[in-house]
Amino acid sequence: MTTSRPDGPLTSAQSSTARSPLSGYVLALGHRPQPWRALVAAGGGIVILLLLVATAVPVGIAVDRVIGVTPFDPANPSLTTGVWAVGNLFIALLVPVSTVLHAIIDGAAPGTLSSVAGRFRWVVLARAAVVVVPVWIVFTVLVQPALGTGSPRWTGLNLVLCVVAVITIPLQSAGEEYLFRGLLLRAVGALFARPVVAFVVATLTTALGFGLVHGASDPWAVAYYIVMGISFAVLAERTGGLEIPVLVHAANNTLLLVPVIMAGQLSTVSTPTGPVVLVPVVVMAVTTFVLWRSTPWLTRSTGSAVLTPAG
């Protein structure tokens, strides 16, 4: 069943959220209370992620040897150039993997995982970039002293690695978003008929999984990844797609890592911890609120059924 709107047809799952600020992204598949679907999607997605990471290590070691750097040592796992670059590209494969699993398990058409409009809305990403990129540039500049990043070394290698970062990190970020805020968020959400319940449970579940997969163990790191995961899920549901979560994820990872690369400290990259994580948490929360309020403008004329919140 569909209902008509001036900006295009709405699915029944979307029309059920017509009086709320939710887009219907989480429940775009409708209510499918078969646990096996969620288990297969979650299990398949996580297993493939782990296989990709495991495969990236020997391939990355081979790249390290080819480019003449000290190869990655599993016994002393500091990040190396080859493992980092190959890992980014392998994790990017989660975009097609998640899309295929979504189609096989749920019979979803290609493109529907990207947004409720059935495609990746580049115009939404471009509009959000006007807000997100300047905020993250300022945040990156201000937080560097607290992170202890060294002075930049303007070598040819560091400049090349920065180009590699700008190309591969957004791809890696997209891969994680398509798995966690795409495939898994919908897999869990479809178990519940009520949109708000589906959204809350799916958001908390995937945020926790996001933290666990990143190896978060101490309370600061756990809080960091859970807040990031919740914010990405909120943005996906509010805007009706993965464009803005991909953008924010990519901007955060790229802009924070580029100064580290320029300082020649790629091997020091680790899970964030300590009180300093409160800074990105606050920046993320404020940015999420601004993008939430800006959603009618961000999604205007994109075929997305997202409404202005009352009040």
Side-chain angles (χ1 to χ4, degrees):
M1 174 180 177
T2 61
T3 55
S4 297
R5 284 174 52 91
D7 55 357
L10 253 172
T11 66
S12 58
Q14 292 165 342
S15 63
S16 69
T17 64
R19 295 187 181 278
S20 81
L22 302 181
S23 66
Y25 178 79
V26 172
L27 273 178
L29 296 170
H31 180 212
R32 298 187 173 189
Q34 301 95 350
W36 71 265
R37 293 182 185 272
L39 291 173
V40 172
I46 296 299
V47 167
I48 291 175
L49 168 61
L50 296 177
L51 288 174
L52 289 171
V53 171
T55 306
V57 172
V59 175
I61 291 174
V63 172
D64 285 334
R65 293 196 175 106
V66 168
I67 64 178
V69 302
T70 303
F72 176 82
D73 181 5
N76 182 27
S78 59
L79 201 59
T80 61
T81 302
V83 169
W84 165 69
V86 171
N88 285 345
L89 293 175
F90 273 45
I91 292 175
L93 294 174
L94 290 172
V95 173
V97 165
S98 299
T99 301
V100 169
L101 287 176
H102 196 45
I104 293 174
I105 297 169
D106 298 302
T112 56
L113 196 60
S114 296
S115 78
V116 294
R119 65 186 186 281
F120 192 91
R121 301 163 300 174
W122 290 102
V123 66
V124 173
L125 183 145
R127 288 171 182 165
V130 175
V131 176
V132 171
V133 174
V135 168
W136 246 264
I137 289 175
V138 172
F139 159 59
T140 300
V141 171
L142 294 178
V143 80
Q144 289 310 309
L147 297 178
T149 305
S151 300
R153 302 175 185 174
W154 300 96
T155 66
L157 175 60
N158 287 351
L159 291 172
V160 168
L161 290 179
C162 283
V163 173
V164 173
V166 170
I167 294 172
T168 65
I169 292 177
L171 297 176
Q172 170 260 334
S173 300
E176 291 187 5
E177 290 308 306
Y178 269 76
L179 176 62
F180 285 97
R181 260 62 65 177
L183 179 67
L184 302 188
L185 192 74
R186 281 186 169 177
V188 176
L191 296 173
F192 305 92
R194 297 176 63 85
V196 173
V197 174
F199 169 63
V200 170
V201 175
T203 295
L204 295 178
T205 302
T206 55
L208 181 59
F210 186 62
L212 292 174
V213 164
H214 280 82
S217 56
D218 71 89
W220 291 108
V222 170
Y224 173 82
Y225 282 114
I226 288 180
V227 169
M228 290 294 179
I230 290 173
S231 295
F232 294 150
V234 167
L235 291 171
E237 175 59 25
R238 171 62 175 151
T239 62
L242 297 176
E243 300 89 357
I244 295 181
V246 168
L247 169 67
V248 179
H249 195 155
N252 179 74
N253 289 9
T254 304
L255 292 173
L256 286 176
L257 192 59
V258 163
V260 176
I261 291 173
M262 287 303 301
Q265 297 179 355
L266 182 62
S267 62
T268 67
V269 173
S270 61
T271 301
T273 186
V276 72
V277 304
L278 293 176
V279 179
V281 163
V282 171
V283 172
M284 187 72 245
V286 172
T287 303
T288 300
F289 175 77
V290 171
L291 293 171
W292 175 286
R293 299 296 299 181
S294 304
T295 293
W297 169 68
L298 294 171
T299 59
R300 185 183 60 205
S301 303
T302 61
S304 306
V306 181
L307 305 182
T308 305

